[in-house]
Amino acid sequence: MSAPASAVPAAVVPAHVPPDRVVHFDFRRGPDFLADPWGVLAAMTAKPDIVFSPELGGYWVPTKAEIIDEVFRRHDLFSSRQISIPRVERRAKSIPAGLDPPEHGKYRKTVTQMFGGKTVMGLEADMRETARRLADAFVKNGECEFVAEFARRMPVDVFLKLYGLPESLREEFVSWVVGFFQGANAEEMMAAHNKTVAYMSQWLDEKMKNRAGLEGHVLPALAAAEVDGRPLDKEEMLSMAVTLVNAGLDTVTSGMTHMMHFLATSPAHRQQLLDDPALIPNAIEEMLRRFGVASLARVVDHDVEFHGVQMKTGDMILASTPLAGLDPALFDNPLKVDFARENKRRHTAFGAGPHVCPGAMLSRVEFRIMLEELLPRLRNLRLAPGAPLDYTSGITLALKKLHLKWDVA
Ligand code: HEM
């Protein structure tokens, strides 16, 4: 997890940074950013290809989609030893997200197996059942707070199935996830995170005592995995299990919320999907492009000149997927949502290169089921009048709450 950004002062601009590259850009707490993140990101795309922000301890910011894509891929230059800004000194390895090739590759196969087509297909009926159950609870009310009542809950249910955890854990698990991602301060976030780790640790001990008959999709893959010809040890399993929770819950919640927010404000786009639900997969790609959520980072591995910029060992560099999606050099009129946009799939919402998101297929199915199940039931969907749009930002750019209304027959 990340250090509280407020605790990290702006850096003195290092001597190797040319003054004309300095742009104050704070993608976590900047008041202008939180008031209008998409506007600030769109404005960043007009800056030089790579700028340096002294905020949050100081970091390079590539402002073009092509260069952001390259940062994800060039692990020879940019290491995943640090993947968040401000940097965090970790006590334990984060597997696989915090490893570089070739070590990363030893674990990657296990993770991709967990979320392959077979797993996702096997979960589809459960996901639909979850979406219907959650919708049943609020459709008749004509209103909901979408984050708490749907977007946080559906991904948690999917995780319980993936991990073979009991449904009785649902409410507790939701409370840990909310505490971790939305805690009021670092202590609250850490306390919630520690509960997840403690639970997972005990659960792994119990389950791995007798490796036969393991349930879900994660445990059998962890039990079968081998690294350097040996089984995974407990620390490795725990790290992977916890990394998945951190990587696969808030991101999906945030993506769902941006999509529903947009659709609640655009009856024409909503109607297109109601008239032709076969458009939904295209619509998802376009909304992933337009409303990217994940901002990862890398640490510069050795002194290097990159696109004409001198970078020093240990410098931090941002790879912002929301910024990449708004680059007009790649996407015409990027703030416009156009489900028919030809190159909409060229977004980097799920990263690129060796760490490209293994949960992308699962996420896409969650989004599709959400739209298929909710849109026909929320007639004349709209934002609740007067409800504030309150953004929170870090590795994930999210709306804290989304108050929706619709007509009840
Ligand atoms: C809309 C939803 C999601 C978004 C936008 C997203 C985005 C990303 C991005 C950008 C990366 C690359 C990180 C890097 O290069 O440092 C990534 C990696 C990862 N994601 Fe996702 N993700 C989503 C959902 C999920 C889900 C549902 C899961 C798990 C079930 C998941 C598991 C992971 C893992 C384990 C990694 C690290 C992979 C590695 O290091 O090899 N993600 N994700």
Side-chain angles (χ1 to χ4, degrees), residues 72 96-97 104 108 115 244 247-248 251 298 349-351 355 357-358 363 367:
F72 276 121
H104 168 261
R108 172 80 189 184
F115 305 109
L244 292 173
T251 44
R298 297 289 189 263
F350 292 112
H355 292 273
C357 179
S363 309
F367 295 142

Side-chain angles (χ1 to χ4, degrees), residues 81-268:
R81 288 192 302 276
Q82 295 281 350
I83 56 164
S84 64
I85 290 172
R87 67 181 81 218
V88 190
E89 296 316 324
R90 290 177 189 282
R91 271 165 292 164
K93 279 186 197 168
S94 167
I95 304 175
L99 302 178
D100 292 319
E103 201 190 359
H104 168 261
K106 298 177 187 173
Y107 300 91
R108 172 80 189 184
K109 202 174 83 196
T110 303
V111 178
T112 44
Q113 269 169 2
M114 285 177 197
F115 305 109
K118 220 170 112 196
T119 303
V120 176
M121 269 160 33
L123 282 173
E124 181 154 350
D126 288 318
M127 289 193 244
R128 198 170 292 281
E129 195 275 321
T130 296
R132 287 186 181 159
R133 179 176 48 76
L134 294 171
D136 285 346
F138 58 66
V139 165
K140 58 186 177 306
N141 302 337
E143 62 182 354
C144 75
E145 196 288 277
F146 181 73
V147 177
E149 294 178 60
F150 192 94
R152 284 246 170 258
R153 288 176 176 267
M154 180 158 167
V156 164
D157 261 43
V158 172
F159 262 69
L160 295 181
K161 289 274 183 244
L162 276 169
Y163 280 71
L165 290 166
E167 286 184 6
S168 56
L169 193 66
R170 188 182 278 144
E171 293 308 317
E172 213 169 351
F173 206 88
V174 170
S175 77
W176 298 338
V177 172
V178 173
F180 176 53
F181 289 110
Q182 286 195 349
N185 49 46
E187 288 71 40
E188 219 174 282
M189 291 163 83
M190 198 42 105
H193 176 69
N194 288 343
K195 282 184 192 160
T196 315
V197 175
Y199 182 91
M200 293 275 170
S201 174
Q202 199 185 359
W203 167 77
L204 276 172
D205 285 342
E206 269 168 34
K207 293 287 174 182
M208 292 297 166
K209 256 189 249 155
N210 172 8
R211 293 190 174 210
L214 293 172
E215 291 158 42
H217 301 266
V218 170
L219 283 176
L222 290 177
E226 283 197 356
V227 173
D228 298 331
R230 59 161 179 86
L232 296 182
D233 65 28
K234 163 75 187 295
E235 290 313 309
E236 290 167 325
M237 287 191 194
L238 186 58
S239 176
M240 286 171 96
V242 172
T243 300
L244 292 173
V245 172
N246 291 345
L249 291 178
D250 208 39
T251 44
V252 178
T253 299
S254 164
M256 286 179 161
T257 310
H258 292 315
M259 289 181 194
M260 288 303 281
H261 171 256
F262 169 70
L263 291 168
T265 54
S266 180

Side-chain angles (χ1 to χ4, degrees), residues 312-371:
K312 294 270 184 206
T313 310
D315 284 356
M316 294 301 297
I317 181 165
L318 184 72
S320 163
T321 71
L323 211 170
L326 297 182
D327 181 0
L330 186 57
F331 303 109
D332 281 343
N333 199 357
L335 288 171
K336 185 176 165 200
V337 174
D338 175 2
F339 295 159
R341 184 186 290 278
E342 268 181 20
N343 67 347
K344 55 189 166 294
R345 285 175 188 273
R346 287 195 58 199
H347 64 71
T348 38
F350 292 112
H355 292 273
V356 68
C357 179
M361 197 193 316
L362 179 67
S363 309
R364 287 178 164 116
V365 176
E366 288 194 65
F367 295 142
R368 176 168 58 74
I369 290 175
M370 169 188 80
L371 296 175

